[in-house]
Amino acid sequence: MTLLIFSMYAGAQINISYKYSRDNFPICNNGNTFHLVVSANEEISVKNIVSIFADDIERVTSIRPVISNSPKGDNVIVIGTLGKNRWIDEQVAKGKLDVSQIKNGWEQYIIKVIDTPEQGIGRALVVVGSDRRGTAYGALHISEKIGVSPYYWWADVPVEKHSALYLSGEVISKTPSVKYRGIFINDEDWGLKPWSTFNYEKNLGDIGPKTYAKVCELVLRLRGNMLAPAMHTCTGAFYFHPDSKVVADSFGIVISTSHCEPLLINTAAPSEFNIKRDGDWNYATNDSVIREKWNRRMEEASQYENIYTVAMRGLHDAGLRGRLPMNKQVEVLTRVIKDQRSILTNHISKDIEDIPQIFVPYKETMDVFENGLQIPDDITLVWVDDNYGYIKRVSNLEEQKRKGGSGVYYHLSYLGAPHDYLWLNTTSPLLMYKELMKAYNTGADRYWLLNVGDIKPSELGMKTFFDLAWNVDEFDANSINKHQPLFLGDLFGKEYIKDFQTLLDEYYRLAWSRKPEFMGWEREWDDKEHTGLKDTEYSFSNYGEAQSRLSDYKKISYKVKSIMDKLPMNRRAAFFEMIAYPVMGSYQMNRKFLMAQLNHELLKEGNNAGANWTAKEMELSYDSISVLNSQYNSMLGGKWKGMMELAPGWCALYQNKPAVTYTDGVKERTVDLKVKSEKLDRCFVLDLTKINKKDESNGHKFSIIEGMGYDWHVLQLGEPTDRPADAGNINGDRVEYRLPKIENDSIEVTIYSVPFFPLYQGRNTDIGISVDGCIPQIFRNKFKEYDLTWKNQVLRNGAEVRLKFAINKSLKEHKISFICGEPGMMIEKVLINWGGLKRSYLGPDNY
């Protein structure tokens, strides 16, 4: 049996086989041990990885190699870094090992077998890195190929045993696409914190070095290099436990911090800054105390590899303190940055331009930046999404010339208005790809940070993020949506890849129009009108909309359970954690709220028997979620006890039981929830996939992309980095569709577009719409973050506009055209109505 592995690297292909071949290198030969060599001169992180690599070989073969400092024997594995391993450097000098493609590189490595490198050694498998992380990635590359998943511990992916392992081929890795790639542990109050405190680090009673060791190992195995530690008030600050920074360095992991943690100071932690003890966190009135805090932190942390957040916000996630007018905020932050850079150079023996620094224009800080705050040219600008997956802006043409470049801070989890989503990861991989690549293609290749909440259950989203950050050239808009099913196929069986594709497509599609956490239809931190659980806007009466949603969720829930039951017992826990729990939990959350809604509707109709049945079904769904959580927290001997909860945030209500009414003395009767076909009358759903004509003569390409939108495909009008056009030009680049016969003198066109922000100041969101060649009407999606329009859009992943057009009934056929104005805009659904469209959330389906 031979396992052929293709890698995402230059020249890069290695084979792992399980039977002897004279030409292959024996990593393990039927129980025979060998020497695993690491130089005593290596950094501790490389020595640590060599030990982990030895553990991985033992996990597969049950034989642990002997670790030594010098090569000897017929076959040896030498792991080392250029300039740190004399034996490797000698092979380079003798011409046995060509390292020209990685010398002076960033996080690159070579895997190569050298025949007779010297007398007494038959062959050597050499893993050589350009730097310490390059060496680690090379070793862990082999680990993954022999069957140790990056998620062997964090998602309990089992390791298949083999008595022999043979390697052939070689790898020369490319420079990673993004320089710094990492995760931010955030909103840990309801998962990672209780799990670590009461289960994993009970002796410490906190998230501490033991937890961070596992986190850093995971990041490294996913080919990341950066961590922004947990920083809520409930958790001891990262530097409060001194060994945490030592642990991170032992894995070669760079410590970064969030947008509200300047110079590594956690402003949410009382141990770091306490107003009663330290005075106000106000640089205009208390600058000397704040500078002292920064100096002390630099004294203990500056010898390690860090990325420093500059400027400042208020305490935790609040705006700058002092209620200063905008011009004064600019003045204060200008002084803050100047003082911070002075502190950095006082503690680090480097030019200030060579010290990694980031400025994160998050929330109100974006306004200060746009109002004149000047950021030194060597500082990396880290652009942010709106917390719901839509990047607020990217570098303009001038900013793209900056020495410090730019980066991205992106969310898979969020606590805040209009509603948090801390429970499940339901962000479309295609949306993440499109937004990250929009930033990357405008210069954001320095720093990518992903907010993953508690890490679990965001395993699949993290894998996609890190693989993309490692090599953006391996993906496009078509392949990104296949990435997670292929990964699951590698873990659980390639025969299930089509099933995984269907499951994930449906899982993400259903959550696109409303995340499970949003099904209570309440908003957080809002007015009274939007407070409290409410019925959904999905309709049971029209188009079978609610019934279809229940049916579609039921299908994937049953399908995922069916696959899990067929898997070997040792793979079921991993499958449950990574896909079964999210799918089944989503189904039950939707069923809980939709059954409560149907209970209310049937009561109004006088159908008390049916209402009693729906009330009972709501109770069953509510209990089923508790059962799923209990299963998660108790499996594997309670390994994840405390990790999985319906995170309530601070004011969310979706985790609660919605109110239902039982009628005493009335026997319940099952309600027919079958989806019934409904013929459309005087309305029409445009099938975006059936394009009649295109005009792309000005260079804007139109494409149908699978993996986003209410019907799981969107029409994209050009690429975001294309030059803008006039959406009102009827002769501009456009795409045309045929319309049906219309017996009316006018129509209403409802268009749902993906709610992107303008690329940057000076750009817009224009789409031109013309019916039968008329002068185009222009849809410009105008909104401001946190206004009502924006809130509605992010909750439903769609911007809605309704336009009226006159119809010439004498024409034999009608057409509608969409004209490219702002490139990159996406249309996800179009409804044509001339008097027959009924009330519903999404309108009729056409998928």
Side-chain angles (χ1 to χ4, degrees), residues 144 484-494 497 500 571:
E144 188 169 5
Q484 292 177 12
L486 290 172
F487 174 61
L488 291 174
D490 287 340
L491 300 183
F492 302 110
K494 296 190 185 313
I497 288 176
F500 293 151
R571 294 191 177 269

Side-chain angles (χ1 to χ4, degrees), residues 207-257:
I207 298 174
K210 184 179 176 184
T211 301
Y212 281 120
K214 287 299 185 183
V215 173
C216 290
E217 181 186 342
L218 174 63
V219 169
L220 205 61
R221 285 183 184 271
L222 289 170
R223 294 175 304 203
N225 59 9
M226 178 176 64
L227 170 67
M231 45 70 71
H232 269 206
T233 304
C234 66
T235 303
F238 181 76
Y239 291 98
F240 184 75
H241 304 298
D243 287 344
S244 293
K245 62 182 182 296
V246 179
V247 164
D249 188 64
S250 74
F251 286 91
I253 295 299
V254 182
I255 294 299
S256 182
T257 51

